[in-house]
Amino acid sequence: MVRSYFRHGPTEAFGLVCSASSNSVFDGKLAYVPALEDVLVWNVKRGSMAAMWHESGHRAEVTCILRSPKPDTFAVGYSDGSIRVWSASSTSVISTFNGHKKAITALAFDQDGSRLASGSQDTDLIVWDVVAEAGLFRLRGHRDQITAVKFLDTFTNVPSTSSASGSAFIVTASKDSFLKVWDLSTQHCVQTTLAHRAEVWSLDINPEKNLIFTGSSEGEMKVWRIDSEALSEGLKESESGEITKMIRPVTTIPLSSKHRVSQLLFHPRLQYLAVQSHDRSVEIFRIRSEEEIRKKQARRKKRAREKKKEKGQKEPDTGDEGSEEEREIDLVELFTPYLIVRSGGKIRSFDFGGEMATDTKGNAQIFLALASNALEVHNIPPPTRSKENPPEAAKLYSLDLPGHRTDIRTLSLSSDDMLLASASNGSLKIWNIKTTTCIRTLDCGHAICSTFLPNDRQIAIGTKNGEILIYDLASASLVDTVKAHTGTLWSMHIRPDERGLVTGGADKDIKFWDIEEKRVSGDDPRSTAISSLVHTRTLKMTDDVLSVRYSPNGKLLAVSLLDSTVKVFYQDSLKFFLSLYGHKLPVLSMDISHDSKLIVTCSADKNVKIWGLDFGDCHKSIFAHDESVMQVAFEKESHYFWTVSKDKVLKYWDGDKVGVFFLLIGPRPINVETRSVDPGLRALRFIPQFEKIQTLEGHHGEVWALAVSNRGNFVVTGSHDKSIRVWEKLDDPLFLEEERERDLERLYDANLAETMNRDVDRIGIGRDVDGADPSGAQEQVEVAQVTKQTTETLMAGEKIMEALDVADADIALLAEFQAAKSGLNEAQISALPAPARNPLLAMQGLEAEAHVLQVVEKVPSTALQDALLVLPFNNVLSLMRYLNEWARRGWNIVLVSRILFFILRTHHHQIVTNRVMRTTLIPLRKHLRDALQKQKETMGYNLAALQYIQRQNESRRTARFYEEESFDEERVKARIAEGKKRKRVVL
């Protein structure tokens, strides 16, 4: 009999305000911040979440967020090398780009948002066509992670009718200390500059588009001038034979701190430059105008003259009174330190809010995303002439209540599973488990363990300094502080009769407490009852106590010690009962089953052991996790248990899976499963086989805490990534054999994709067929195609191959039928049975050509090219015959053209050398030209009609203006142009 279980799945993830994995974007009202694998949209003023961008099944962490020039569109980069373009209004993915092998570190849109450039830890730069949803090309040249990417705007003097690109160059910065300029028209690097002596971490271009600012890990900020004339002319040699430089170094601007310059950012409207070169502050520079500097220099010179007159000194006549005005102003003088914005924690990124974050008085806002799971918005006041009151940044809004500042170390659930308590170093939070809203936030010490007291009105917290803090939930106040231990209080557990509590600490003591209730208002029975702890007895141990646990029947007390052993005592007399040896490192947590028959222990040695409480024998030792196992807990009313570990994984185990039964039949027992005879067996035996049921991945940091619901329908985990996740039992049955097969298939697909993506031609490295370095190093090409095989592209390629095979077989069957009819009369033809078509085609009622087109159209546009690379060459030849038929019938000409051009570019040599291809290519060329000509004529007709409607509308508006008021023609045209800017005209 096959045993089935119920599958568990993630249902909620909360407790996160902002993770430190990526930068954040602020538009003056809404903040778009990373939350591990999701993007959260916060209304910072209200302190409420406006939206969550979540894609089910995708677990990679967000590493970069960028807003497009089209306000509703955002590009989000992830740690698995993928980029998703999101629509903010619909909170859905528009397109997905897969090309990088490592995490995305930098993104940049061009002026109109039609192209996207991405830099990654794999040192590659990829340019994507957002409209066509395809990768244009991959540029290689950097030798370390790309940290910043910016488009350079050129051809500012080109007339509007020109077809020249407005952004033909990209500048990139990298940890290899180089600054590179790439020409997108020729797809190669036109300039490489050693920017700093250390890693280049940040880059930005000023609003005038003529200066580049770079920051290094040594706290140095340099300025580079963009030569727009050299950019417009392209790469040329001067008369002396030197190559023209696109960017030239200008100067270095001193900073107040010598830490790493993590981010540089210009304000989009005001004259501010923000520099983050310290963990907890952002330095704001004000950009002064030349006129302001000249006036200041004149005032300084005037004061110097007045001082000399007061001293009676005669000023020498130099005859160069205008020299101060004629002197060229240094670039450093334009940037003056204005103020420093200080935050309450380590700053991960910052952003100016754009036009919406600037009021009429000149106040600007700066948004700070902190690494401590919090957000802040500060106000930057406008400059004043008063020297007595220097400007200071003021905090406007702060968002930190919906999450912890530090790691979540302990979780506990109320008896009705309605409330969840989470505690960390500094704060205790009470959550409504259904709505996942934080209903109480209380200050506490460094929390280590916690538990709800009986009746769920109070909660007890054990701290690092050995105190027990008791909080009343109704009044949200600390009602009692008990100095329980002189060392860290590692564990506490409520007695099964709910009248007592046991605690264990680093002072080698186990202390027992009685829970007593006392009224706040004395003898008034209507007043609130508060639980208090009364110390009754102490059990001295030989080593630090790491965990204590009562058995559910109240008879035994289990204690784990720092010496890697577990001692079991009788609860009433505290007499020694059992000692459990076997772990190589200390037992960090343990739990006892509901029937008090099994005890499960987890240790820092990565093992989980299941023991019998009757004789202390070890039933099973399991290598459970890749790191230390932090906590273990039995599911209620069962022998299933959960474990969490530092390897970021939650696992579900069966503690008593049915094994092999041996029945004694006569003198020779028979194995029921294998039907084999076991002559050595003389009794009924049961051999338990403990197995893992399910592995649940989702956390991005060490999982410290675990809490299992009292009804057994969900489990809650808390992690180093500051998130709390709920894993709920679903109605979907789970079979172990199917789960193992699915895991193997997933592993095989991942290994296959990794093998196909293996890059053997890195810069300066060449490899032969066997993977060994040849004697001569081979230089890698600078530009390459954008390809990356994933499980999705492999499946899409297999679907196309399957559709081609089905269609080819159907066409061959129909051809045989037609050939059989050729020499027969009508009576014989009518008697001839119809061919048995493929059931799939017969059910859909489609022709073979239409079926292949339907399958190809379902492949996502971004994965189409990678899916076509999976096809063998014989399938490519078959596909080209279908392309010819689609072009002849005028089906989806855009898709036909795209597939054809990619196939010709990829398989050019094989197609050219194959004579059979002439019979396919010649008609394909004719049919495709005819179809494209029809498309061109249709587009021309539509364009002419739209232009006609526009002229008609303009003439009507002009006539209406002439009729309403007596304007001359020039004023009417100006009025019409002004109206176009103000509002849209619905045609």
Side-chain angles (χ1 to χ4, degrees):
M1 178 180 175
V2 179
R3 191 165 186 176
S4 66
Y5 306 86
F6 284 106
R7 187 182 302 276
H8 286 73
T11 55
E12 295 288 346
F14 56 96
L16 270 174
V17 179
C18 173
S19 62
S21 60
S22 165
N23 67 303
S24 302
V25 176
F26 184 56
D27 64 1
K29 180 183 178 183
L30 299 176
Y32 304 86
V33 302
L36 302 178
E37 70 270 19
D38 302 330
V39 176
L40 300 182
V41 184
W42 291 98
N43 188 322
V44 182
K45 187 175 181 180
R46 295 181 180 177
S48 60
M49 187 191 300
M52 174 190 284
W53 300 353
H54 174 78
E55 187 177 10
S56 58
H58 187 250
R59 297 192 184 96
E61 210 169 3
V62 175
T63 56
C64 190
I65 303 175
L66 178 67
R67 188 167 196 162
S68 169
K70 302 172 184 176
D72 185 57
T73 305
F74 287 79
V76 181
Y78 295 87
S79 59
D80 61 352
S82 64
I83 304 168
R84 281 162 175 77
V85 180
W86 288 85
S87 170
S89 57
S90 63
T91 65
S92 60
V93 178
I94 301 173
S95 56
T96 302
F97 300 118
N98 253 313
H100 290 286
K101 299 175 179 61
K102 293 184 180 179
I104 305 296
T105 53
L107 293 171
F109 278 104
D110 64 355
Q111 279 184 341
D112 54 0
S114 61
R115 285 183 295 179
L116 174 67
S118 61
S120 168
Q121 288 181 353
D122 61 9
T123 73
D124 290 348
L125 171 69
I126 297 180
V127 181
W128 308 88
D129 189 334
V130 179
V131 179
E133 298 183 359
L136 297 178
F137 43 83
R138 182 195 304 268
L139 298 172
R140 292 167 169 167
H142 282 293
R143 297 174 180 270
D144 206 338
Q145 168 186 327
I146 296 176
T147 54
V149 177
K150 291 289 181 182
F151 277 88
L152 293 181
D153 299 325
T154 57
F155 307 116
T156 54
N157 299 324
V158 173
S160 59
T161 56
S162 173
S163 61
S165 173
S167 298
F169 291 88
I170 288 179
V171 59
T172 58
S174 170
K175 281 187 178 180
D176 59 8
S177 74
F178 288 117
L179 205 62
K180 284 180 176 287
V181 181
W182 307 85
D183 187 346
L184 301 188
S185 58
T186 58
Q187 301 175 11
H188 73 285
C189 178
V190 294
Q191 184 179 346
T192 300
T193 304
L194 182 63
H196 294 268
R197 293 172 296 176
E199 301 170 343
V200 184
W201 272 94
S202 53
L203 178 147
D204 199 17
I205 301 175
N206 67 334
E208 290 77 19
K209 309 295 182 185
N210 60 353
L211 295 175
I212 297 176
F213 289 72
T214 58
S216 73
S217 59
E218 291 184 341
E220 185 181 38
M221 182 169 69
K222 284 187 177 182
V223 186
W224 310 78
R225 190 174 301 280
I226 303 173
D227 191 342
S228 57
E229 184 178 350
L231 287 178
S232 58
E233 292 178 355
L235 202 61
K236 288 186 176 181
E237 287 188 7
S238 62
E239 295 179 356
S240 60
E242 295 181 355
I243 304 296
T244 56
K245 300 291 185 182
M246 309 289 182
I247 57 175
R248 301 174 182 274
V250 180
T251 185
T252 300
I253 296 180
L255 300 176
S256 61
S257 172
K258 291 299 181 184
H259 294 82
R260 184 181 77 190
V261 182
S262 304
Q263 190 176 355
L264 293 170
L265 189 64
F266 280 89
H267 196 284
R269 287 186 60 227
L270 302 178
Q271 298 298 312
Y272 291 131
L273 168 64
V275 182
Q276 183 196 348
S277 59
H278 192 269
D279 286 346
R280 292 175 176 264
S281 63
V282 176
E283 189 174 1
I284 307 294
F285 288 86
R286 188 169 68 86
I287 307 173
R288 299 185 294 178
S289 62
E290 294 188 7
E291 182 181 358
E292 184 181 352
I293 295 175
R294 302 265 186 218
K295 287 182 180 179
K296 190 172 183 179
Q297 290 174 349
R299 287 197 300 269
R300 190 182 296 118
K301 191 173 183 180
K302 184 179 179 181
R303 286 197 299 269
R305 290 199 201 99
E306 291 174 353
K307 287 182 180 179
K308 288 182 179 179
K309 285 182 181 180
E310 290 175 1
K311 294 180 180 179
Q313 297 178 357
K314 186 177 179 181
E315 186 177 357
D317 186 12
T318 57
D320 55 349
E321 295 178 357
S323 60
E324 190 70 27
E325 286 75 13
E326 295 173 0
R327 185 179 69 85
E328 186 177 353
I329 296 175
D330 192 6
L331 187 64
V332 179
E333 297 176 350
L334 297 175
F335 295 86
T336 177
Y338 183 52
L339 56 84
I340 294 178
V341 181
R342 290 182 170 85
S343 68
K346 184 178 179 181
I347 300 173
R348 172 57 180 87
S349 70
F350 67 88
D351 191 18
F352 288 116
E355 297 184 1
M356 291 182 63
T358 307
D359 58 16
T360 56
K361 297 180 180 180
N363 290 296
Q365 293 180 6
I366 185 170
F367 167 81
L368 306 178
L370 307 184
S372 59
N373 197 26
L375 307 175
E376 291 180 0
V377 177
H378 292 255
N379 180 56
I380 302 174
T384 59
R385 295 185 178 181
S386 174
K387 294 184 178 180
E388 297 179 357
N389 299 320
E392 291 184 0
K395 186 191 293 185
L396 292 179
Y397 314 113
S398 178
L399 182 61
D400 56 4
L401 288 180
H404 287 276
R405 307 282 75 74
T406 54
D407 295 9
I408 298 167
R409 293 305 304 262
T410 174
L411 295 171
S412 57
L413 283 162
S414 60
S415 58
D416 57 359
D417 291 339
M418 296 294 291
L419 297 179
L420 171 71
S422 63
S424 65
N425 182 8
S427 66
L428 163 68
K429 290 182 180 289
I430 309 298
W431 308 82
N432 185 324
I433 201 68
K434 284 190 175 180
T435 62
T436 66
T437 55
C438 181
I439 56 179
R440 292 283 188 274
T441 298
L442 307 167
D443 293 333
C444 71
H446 193 154
I448 300 295
C449 56
S450 64
T451 181
F452 275 91
L453 296 180
N455 299 325
D456 296 333
R457 289 195 295 265
Q458 284 89 31
I459 184 169
I461 302 293
T463 64
K464 193 173 184 179
N465 57 9
E467 293 179 340
I468 301 176
L469 308 177
I470 300 178
Y471 292 88
D472 182 63
L473 301 185
S475 61
S477 60
L478 176 65
V479 295
D480 196 6
T481 301
V482 181
K483 183 62 179 175
H485 295 267
T486 56
T488 302
L489 199 161
W490 287 112
S491 178
M492 61 171 60
H493 192 220
I494 299 288
R495 207 164 60 204
D497 59 5
E498 296 187 346
R499 295 181 181 178
L501 178 73
V502 62
T503 59
D507 57 359
K508 306 179 183 179
D509 286 348
I510 301 172
K511 293 192 176 182
F512 299 85
W513 312 79
D514 283 345
I515 301 174
E516 297 182 356
E517 290 190 355
K518 59 181 179 180
R519 300 288 175 182
V520 176
S521 301
D523 298 332
D524 186 1
R526 293 174 296 178
S527 64
T528 306
I530 295 177
S531 299
S532 63
L533 300 181
V534 179
H535 180 233
T536 57
R537 51 182 177 170
T538 301
L539 177 63
K540 296 283 186 181
M541 303 303 294
T542 57
D543 217 328
D544 293 11
V545 180
L546 300 182
S547 179
V548 289
R549 182 67 56 175
Y550 280 113
S551 63
N553 60 12
K555 294 182 179 179
L556 301 175
L557 172 69
V559 181
S560 74
L561 302 177
L562 194 63
D563 61 3
S564 308
T565 64
V566 176
K567 311 288 186 185
V568 183
F569 299 88
Y570 289 103
Q571 186 270 139
D572 49 1
S573 62
L574 297 184
K575 288 185 177 179
F576 177 76
F577 174 53
L578 290 173
S579 184
L580 308 179
Y581 294 93
H583 283 290
K584 297 178 181 178
L585 291 174
V587 174
L588 303 179
S589 177
M590 58 186 175
D591 198 14
I592 301 175
S593 62
H594 69 285
D595 54 6
S596 302
K597 292 183 177 179
L598 296 179
I599 178 172
V600 59
T601 58
C602 66
S603 167
D605 61 8
K606 311 174 187 178
N607 288 318
V608 170
K609 293 182 184 290
I610 303 168
W611 316 76
L613 267 181
D614 45 4
F615 302 109
D617 55 327
C618 181
H619 290 179
K620 184 71 173 178
S621 180
I622 307 170
F623 184 78
H625 290 269
D626 296 331
E627 295 290 341
S628 300
V629 189
M630 301 307 298
Q631 200 165 342
V632 63
F634 271 106
E635 198 175 83
K636 306 302 178 186
E637 304 300 325
S638 73
H639 284 175
Y640 304 153
F641 62 91
W642 297 88
T643 58
V644 293
S645 167
K646 284 185 177 181
D647 63 1
K648 312 174 187 178
V649 170
L650 166 70
K651 290 188 178 182
Y652 189 32
W653 304 86
D654 187 350
D656 58 356
K657 184 181 183 300
V658 177
V660 183
F661 285 97
F662 293 95
L663 299 179
L664 183 64
I665 302 176
R668 294 186 301 173
I670 298 176
N671 185 333
V672 176
E673 276 194 0
T674 62
R675 304 294 179 186
S676 60
V677 177
D678 186 359
L681 191 64
R682 290 292 182 269
L684 177 67
R685 291 179 58 193
F686 168 70
I687 303 176
Q689 294 178 349
F690 305 92
E691 290 201 33
K692 181 184 69 177
I693 301 173
Q694 194 177 0
T695 299
L696 297 169
E697 299 176 348
H699 280 292
H700 296 267
E702 297 91 340
V703 187
W704 298 112
L706 169 70
V708 180
S709 71
N710 294 289
R711 298 173 186 172
N713 56 345
F714 67 89
V715 62
V716 188
T717 54
S719 169
H720 169 74
D721 60 20
K722 304 179 184 63
S723 70
I724 302 171
R725 294 178 185 263
V726 181
W727 315 82
E728 195 168 332
K729 185 179 290 186
L730 308 176
D731 295 332
D732 184 17
L734 182 148
F735 299 97
L736 294 183
E737 293 300 325
E738 294 180 0
E739 195 70 12
R740 301 296 177 266
E741 289 177 4
R742 192 177 292 111
D743 291 343
L744 289 175
E745 288 178 3
R746 198 179 298 118
L747 183 63
Y748 173 75
D749 291 340
N751 289 337
L752 181 62
E754 184 180 354
T755 303
M756 298 182 71
N757 290 324
R758 190 170 295 153
D759 198 0
V760 296
D761 54 349
R762 302 309 305 160
I763 294 180
I765 298 176
R767 295 188 183 277
D768 57 17
V769 178
D770 298 328
D773 289 334
S775 56
Q778 178 183 350
E779 198 68 25
Q780 163 191 313
V781 292
E782 194 175 41
V783 62
Q785 291 186 5
V786 182
T787 59
K788 180 185 176 183
Q789 294 296 342
T790 62
T791 307
E792 291 76 15
T793 59
L794 293 175
M795 291 178 62
E798 290 175 358
K799 288 180 180 178
I800 295 175
M801 286 192 292
E802 184 180 351
L804 290 172
D805 293 339
V806 169
D808 289 344
D810 188 73
I811 290 176
L813 192 65
L814 291 177
E816 289 178 5
F817 181 69
Q818 294 297 331
K821 289 196 306 181
S822 60
L824 303 177
N825 54 31
E826 293 183 1
Q828 291 173 328
I829 291 175
S830 59
L832 196 66
R837 298 187 64 198
N838 188 284
L840 182 62
L841 299 180
M843 179 185 65
Q844 295 178 344
L846 293 176
E847 300 179 20
E849 296 84 356
H851 172 66
V852 177
L853 179 61
Q854 188 182 65
V855 172
V856 174
E857 285 178 336
K858 289 181 180 178
V859 178
S861 180
T862 53
L864 180 60
Q865 293 186 0
D866 292 322
L868 293 175
L869 287 175
V870 179
L871 303 181
F873 188 65
N874 59 340
N875 286 119
V876 172
L877 300 181
S878 177
L879 180 60
M880 291 191 69
R881 290 194 290 270
Y882 291 104
L883 291 176
N884 179 31
E885 187 64 24
W886 298 342
R888 185 180 67 83
R889 301 189 185 188
W891 291 350
N892 204 338
I893 299 302
V894 176
L895 181 64
V896 171
S897 303
R898 184 180 171 191
I899 294 175
L900 178 62
F901 298 153
F902 179 77
I903 287 176
L904 291 177
R905 187 170 63 248
T906 306
H907 303 281
H908 176 262
H909 296 296
Q910 294 93 325
I911 292 174
V912 169
T913 56
N914 196 335
R915 292 179 174 272
V916 183
M917 292 302 300
R918 291 180 60 86
T919 57
T920 305
L921 289 174
I922 293 175
L924 177 58
R925 181 179 62 177
K926 177 181 178 301
H927 295 150
L928 189 59
R929 280 183 176 176
D930 294 342
L932 290 175
Q933 185 63 32
K934 290 180 182 178
Q935 295 266 344
K936 180 181 177 183
E937 291 172 357
T938 304
M939 292 175 63
Y941 180 83
N942 293 338
L943 184 60
L946 290 172
Q947 291 173 349
Y948 172 75
I949 294 173
Q950 183 183 16
R951 289 195 300 269
Q952 289 287 97
N953 180 65
E954 289 182 356
S955 63
R956 288 196 198 99
R957 295 180 66 194
T958 306
R960 188 171 68 249
F961 276 118
Y962 273 119
E963 291 171 1
E964 290 176 357
E965 301 182 36
S966 57
F967 285 149
D968 59 357
E969 188 176 354
E970 294 299 327
R971 294 179 64 187
V972 168
K973 288 182 178 180
R975 183 80 176 271
I976 293 173
E978 191 177 326
K980 285 180 182 177
K981 294 178 182 177
R982 277 204 309 267
K983 61 181 181 179
R984 293 181 180 175
V985 180
V986 181
L987 301 179

